[in-house]
């Protein structure tokens, strides 16, 4: 019994280490590649990678549990892998982990019938986890229900692997093992909950420092950082960098006539429209003033940028903004400046050129796009 307990504790320590590295890897990825978490495709890759990660962890536990090594070490850990993935991730990664665990069990084990029976039971447990995870219950309640669903598998496994008899005299031993199993699972789930919650809170705190709370776009501070970085990169690579500055026409009139709540709704609606447009990779969209927005577009031509700005202008004309007056139409003016690797010596000069282009668009009647002609500016 002491050998089994020792192996369970050591496997729990390994599981906690795996959770820690998982949490640190996700945190680092969010810091270095935040755009990946905004992409559905990239999110799927990350999730399925987690399934592979925990699937191979399960295979390691199977190897450790082969006869002659650490008998009894791994079954609880394999079940905990499925519990963690279902509660804190989704069925997709859990399915990947399950398939790897089944493959490892069938190819690494010797007793074919016992392995097939185990596979059948763990698939049943997988569906128990999947259904319980969908319930509107607390994490603790879900874990209790799932662990109760694991009892048939544990009864069979402990009887076969550790040779605990189905007798009244063995009842204290059964109770002891079930208690240890529940205890270890709750430690692992608590650690996973803490890591998951901490990562989300850190991410939300980071986002609050770079996002405008009304529109969900980058704020001016983040825009300055990203614009300077994009300019330095374009200067080093002698690459194109385009800047669009957009201003909502007569926005002060909207605020004065309908109030700031309606004005805020107009800003929010416009921002959501921008977020739905398909921009080139590494585009940054920011709110840089009350009704003023900026779009940083690296690695595309001036004509492509002008086409995108025109596309935005035309879409705005068709949006039904929350303005009570019948026939009221919101329009925008846009100014564009293009950096070709040498025509502007500082990011401030490029920003000033785009701002001048916006001024020209507004002076010429608004609801239009104006592009600043290429010139060398100090």
């Amino acid at each position: 019994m002491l050998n089994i307990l020792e192996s369970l504790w050591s496997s729990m320590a390994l599981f906690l280490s795996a959770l820690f590295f998982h949490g640190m890897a996700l945190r680092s990825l969010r810091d270095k590649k935040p755009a990946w978490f905004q992409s559905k495709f990239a999110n799927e890759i990350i999730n399925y990678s987690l399934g592979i990660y925990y699937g191979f962890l399960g295979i390691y536990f199977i190897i450790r549990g082969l006869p002659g090594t650490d008998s009894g070490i791994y079954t609880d850990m394999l079940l905990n892998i499925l519990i963690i993935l279902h509660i804190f991730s989704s069925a997709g990664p859990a399915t990947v982990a399950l398939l790897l665990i089944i493959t490892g069990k069938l190819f690494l084990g010797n007793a074919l019938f016992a392995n097939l029976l185990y596979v059948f039971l763990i698939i049943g447990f997988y569906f128990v986890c999947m259904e319980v995870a969908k319930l509107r219950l607390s994490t603790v309640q879900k874990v209790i229900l799932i662990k109760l669903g694991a009892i048939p598998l544990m009864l069979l496994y402990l009887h076969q692997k550790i040779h605990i008899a189905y007798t009244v005299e063995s009842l204290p031993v059964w109770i002891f093992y079930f208690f240890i199993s529940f205890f270890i699972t709750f430690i692992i789930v608590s650690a996973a909950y803490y890591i998951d919650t901490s990562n989300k809170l850190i991410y939300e705190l980071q986002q609050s420092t770079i996002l405008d709370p009304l529109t969900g776009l980058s704020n001016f501070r983040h825009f300055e950082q990203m614009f300077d970085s994009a300019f330095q990169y374009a200067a080093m690579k002698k690459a194109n960098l385009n800047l669009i500055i957009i201003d909502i026409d007569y926005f002060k009139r909207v605020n004065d006539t309908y109030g700031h709540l309606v004005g805020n709704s107009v800003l929010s609606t416009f921002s959501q429209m921008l977020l739905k447009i398909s921009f080139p990779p590494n585009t940054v969209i920011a709110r840089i003033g009350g009704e003023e927005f900026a779009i940083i577009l690296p690695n595309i031509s001036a004509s492509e940028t002008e086409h995108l700005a025109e596309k935005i202008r035309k879409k705005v004309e068709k949006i039904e903004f929350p303005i009570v007056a019948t026939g009221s139409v919101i329009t925008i003016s846009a100014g564009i400046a293009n950096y070709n690797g040498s025509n502007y010596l500082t990011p401030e000069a490029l920003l000033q050129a785009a701002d001048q282009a916006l001024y020209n668009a507004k002076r010429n009647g608004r609801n239009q796009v104006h592009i600043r002609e290429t010139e060398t500016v100090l």
Side-chain angles (χ1 to χ4, degrees):
M1 181 182 294
L2 290 177
N3 289 337
I4 301 300
L5 286 177
E6 184 181 349
S7 63
L8 282 171
W9 281 109
S10 65
S11 59
M12 181 188 72
L14 178 61
F15 203 122
L16 292 175
S17 298
L19 282 174
F20 172 78
F21 286 117
H22 158 205
M24 291 300 293
L26 280 185
R27 185 179 301 179
S28 176
L29 198 60
R30 278 198 177 101
D31 290 339
K32 295 179 179 178
K33 300 289 183 180
W36 287 13
F37 293 85
Q38 309 300 323
S39 165
K40 184 178 179 181
F41 177 72
N43 251 320
E44 288 296 313
I45 291 177
I46 293 169
N47 282 331
Y48 283 101
S49 296
L50 286 179
I52 294 171
Y53 173 73
Y54 282 104
F56 278 109
L57 178 65
I59 291 175
Y60 171 78
F61 284 131
I62 292 172
I63 294 171
R64 288 285 302 275
L66 291 175
T69 53
D70 275 326
S71 176
I73 187 175
Y74 70 91
T75 291
D76 252 26
M77 297 305 119
L78 299 185
L79 302 187
N80 287 331
I81 286 172
L82 297 182
I83 292 172
I84 292 299
L85 290 176
H86 274 292
I87 290 180
F88 296 103
S89 186
S90 62
T95 303
V96 172
L98 175 70
L99 292 174
L100 286 170
I101 289 169
I102 289 173
T103 302
K105 186 64 179 172
L106 292 176
F107 282 93
L108 295 172
N110 295 321
L112 181 60
F113 176 76
N115 289 339
L116 288 173
L117 182 59
Y118 184 89
V119 166
F120 174 77
L121 288 171
I122 201 169
I123 290 174
F125 180 74
Y126 164 88
F127 284 109
V128 169
C129 292
M130 184 170 64
E131 292 305 317
V132 172
K134 297 176 184 177
L135 300 177
R136 293 184 177 180
L137 300 172
S138 68
T139 301
V140 172
Q141 290 172 323
K142 288 179 180 179
V143 172
I144 291 173
L145 279 179
I146 289 172
K147 289 297 290 185
L148 291 175
I151 288 177
L153 192 151
M154 293 179 66
L155 285 171
L156 178 68
Y157 171 76
L158 293 173
H159 174 69
Q160 287 187 342
K161 201 75 174 175
I162 311 176
H163 308 297
I164 304 177
Y166 295 133
T167 62
V168 176
E169 291 77 14
S170 300
L171 188 59
V173 180
W174 284 107
I175 293 173
F176 177 74
Y177 275 114
F178 280 120
F179 173 79
I180 293 297
S181 174
F182 269 74
F183 180 67
I184 288 175
T185 296
F186 273 104
I187 289 178
I188 290 173
V189 169
S190 298
Y193 178 81
Y194 173 78
I195 291 170
D196 183 65
T197 304
S198 298
N199 278 355
K200 287 178 180 177
L201 287 174
I202 290 171
Y203 177 71
E204 289 171 3
L205 181 62
Q206 291 171 336
Q207 291 298 100
S208 68
T209 65
I210 66 173
L211 295 184
D212 174 65
L214 174 63
T215 62
L217 304 177
S218 295
N219 58 24
F220 182 70
R221 179 184 175 187
H222 189 234
F223 163 77
E224 283 187 312
Q225 294 172 346
M226 298 302 293
F227 182 53
D228 185 69
S229 176
F231 186 89
Q232 300 305 328
Y233 181 83
M236 180 178 65
K237 297 291 185 179
K238 301 297 180 184
N240 275 331
L241 177 65
N242 294 274
L243 178 64
I244 306 174
I245 296 183
I246 298 171
D247 188 86
I248 298 177
D249 296 329
Y250 303 110
F251 186 75
K252 185 178 184 302
R253 185 185 301 173
V254 173
N255 273 337
D256 292 344
T257 305
Y258 305 111
H260 288 282
L261 287 178
V262 172
N264 287 345
S265 185
V266 168
L267 293 172
S268 179
T269 302
F270 174 66
S271 303
Q272 291 306 307
M273 182 274 293
L274 286 178
L275 290 172
K276 291 176 182 177
I277 293 176
S278 179
F279 286 104
N282 302 316
T283 295
V284 176
I285 310 171
R287 181 188 180 197
I288 60 173
E291 70 274 17
E292 199 165 77
F293 299 80
I295 304 175
I296 305 170
L297 292 157
N299 299 318
I300 66 171
S301 67
S303 60
E304 290 173 309
T305 303
E306 188 174 12
H307 175 75
L308 269 171
E310 272 294 332
K311 179 180 177 181
I312 295 169
R313 187 191 65 79
K314 291 175 182 178
K315 286 179 76 73
V316 170
E317 286 184 314
K318 298 176 182 178
I319 296 177
E320 294 184 4
F321 286 96
I323 296 179
V324 293
T326 304
S328 295
V329 177
I330 294 291
T331 61
I332 63 167
S333 299
I336 299 171
N338 168 260
Y339 175 67
N340 60 19
S342 61
N343 56 332
Y344 295 99
L345 300 184
T346 65
E348 291 77 16
L350 180 61
L351 178 61
Q352 185 179 358
D355 198 53
Q356 182 61 48
L358 172 64
Y359 173 78
N360 291 337
K362 296 176 79 68
R363 185 181 61 182
N364 292 341
R366 292 181 169 84
N367 191 24
Q368 59 185 273
V369 174
H370 193 277
I371 185 165
R372 180 68 179 263
E373 296 299 324
T374 301
E375 57 183 270
T376 300
V377 179
L378 298 179

